[in-house]
Amino acid sequence: PIFQQAGFEVRKYRYLDRKTNRLDFDGMLADIAASPEGSIFVMHACAHNPTGVDPTPEQWKKISEALTARDAKVLVDMAYQGFASGDAEADNAALRLLVADGHPLLLAQSFAKNFGLYGERVGALSVVCEDAAEAARVSSQLKLIIRPMYSSPPIHGALLVAEVLNDPELSAQYYKECESMAARIKKMRTLLREKIEAEQSPHDWSHITDQIGMFAYTGMSPETVEELTRDHAVFLTADGRISMAGINESNVAYVASAVNKVTSKRKLGEH
């Protein structure tokens, strides 16, 4: 709705293969190749929301080549840097690749999640320009948009982020805490998969540990999700996306048992 209201014609490209809960890489490349020349592609840098499915470095290279062939522009959405692998530098590898390959690129960066600043909604818009003259023109156009929209952004969240990232001791502590958060989520993925498999589930749940970030696309249908919530009080979105941050060592066995009960006689990923 945001892009439509801004006057863009919005089309979708294939990304998730619902039968396997993994990347539909061939479909994605085909849709890029079939796109109108000069199209703008919105892509997640890491910890793809909502699927938790990220391209591999090799796949990103082919994606970049496909975008170049169509003279495409890229808007990179990066809201979970540091929460994917636990390494903020590793999490921006796709972004650096796209920049190195010379793509006209905008980066929409949010610190709401990885700094816990939801109320402030602090972030940054960065535009990669060819030279200083182009940067001046872009800055002028952005100011024309910003002035009637919000004029001055909230300052407190930005000051907090700046204080942490510009202080060596605080930034080191912050990156360490991001690493521990990512490690905990990875551990919960492993535990959830192990517990479901221990229930003698007939399904392959390897996608739970193959995915990355705060969310897992389980492959459950809306009907299955409804039963899971109604009968077992396990809450997730109707498309089967569950927040791994809400799983802990105290509730993982219960969640796994409930998931097995509602999926054992149903197919996964065919809706």
Side-chain angles (χ1 to χ4, degrees):
I2 293 175
F3 291 107
Q4 289 175 336
Q5 291 176 12
F8 289 95
E9 177 188 349
V10 178
R11 302 182 186 180
K12 295 182 179 180
Y13 59 86
R14 281 171 282 182
Y15 192 85
L16 183 75
D17 183 343
R18 292 304 299 254
K19 292 183 178 179
T20 63
N21 289 297
R22 289 175 172 82
L23 183 67
D24 183 359
F25 185 56
D26 291 338
M28 183 181 185
L29 290 183
D31 287 345
I32 294 175
S35 67
E37 189 170 339
S39 295
I40 303 169
F41 280 82
V42 179
M43 296 188 166
H44 287 197
C46 64
H48 185 273
N49 182 9
T51 69
V53 176
D54 284 358
T56 65
E58 294 75 21
Q59 288 173 330
W60 269 116
K61 186 63 180 175
K62 292 185 180 297
I63 291 168
S64 178
E65 292 170 356
L67 292 169
T68 298
R70 300 306 301 153
D71 191 28
K73 283 68 177 174
V74 187
L75 170 58
V76 177
D77 180 353
M78 187 156 66
Y80 300 97
Q81 186 178 11
F83 272 8
S85 68
D87 183 339
E89 288 298 315
D91 287 352
N92 69 22
L95 173 65
R96 292 185 181 277
L97 170 67
L98 294 171
V99 172
D101 285 352
H103 292 284
L105 185 143
L106 295 91
L107 169 64
Q109 195 169 8
S110 170
F111 297 103
K113 288 88 172 175
N114 54 11
F115 267 83
L117 293 171
Y118 282 88
E120 299 290 342
R121 303 301 290 180
V122 61
L125 174 65
S126 303
V127 185
V128 178
C129 301
E130 288 187 1
D131 50 40
E134 184 181 60
R137 294 194 297 271
V138 170
S139 177
S140 175
Q141 291 300 308
L142 290 176
K143 289 175 182 177
L144 289 174
I145 296 171
I146 288 168
R147 183 63 177 171
M149 184 183 294
Y150 61 81
S151 188
S152 296
I155 193 171
H156 300 96
L159 289 175
L160 288 170
V161 173
E163 179 70 21
V164 171
L165 293 183
N166 286 301
D167 183 288
E169 185 175 342
L170 290 176
S171 63
Q173 179 183 342
Y174 165 72
Y175 287 124
K176 190 69 176 176
E177 290 176 357
C178 275
E179 183 181 356
S180 66
M181 281 289 294
R184 193 195 78 80
I185 291 174
K186 288 179 183 178
K187 181 180 180 181
M188 291 305 107
R189 286 183 178 277
T190 300
L191 279 177
L192 180 61
R193 177 183 171 183
E194 288 177 350
K195 297 292 185 182
I196 296 175
E197 290 174 345
E199 295 281 333
Q200 303 301 311
S201 171
H203 303 297
D204 176 11
W205 292 94
S206 61
H207 58 280
I208 296 293
T209 49
D210 288 344
Q211 295 169 7
I212 195 169
M214 292 177 63
F215 304 107
Y217 236 50
T218 61
M220 288 187 282
S221 67
E223 294 76 19
T224 306
V225 169
E226 181 181 6
E227 181 180 344
L228 185 62
T229 300
R230 183 189 66 241
D231 296 347
H232 303 281
V234 176
F235 294 85
L236 60 162
T237 56
D239 56 6
R241 184 192 74 163
I242 191 168
S243 173
M244 293 307 304
I247 305 292
N248 57 55
E249 294 190 22
S250 298
N251 64 21
V252 65
Y254 176 83
V255 173
S257 176
V259 167
N260 181 60
K261 287 175 182 176
V262 300
T263 61
S264 59
K265 295 182 180 180
R266 289 189 172 104
K267 292 183 178 180
L268 284 182
E270 296 189 3
H271 51 90

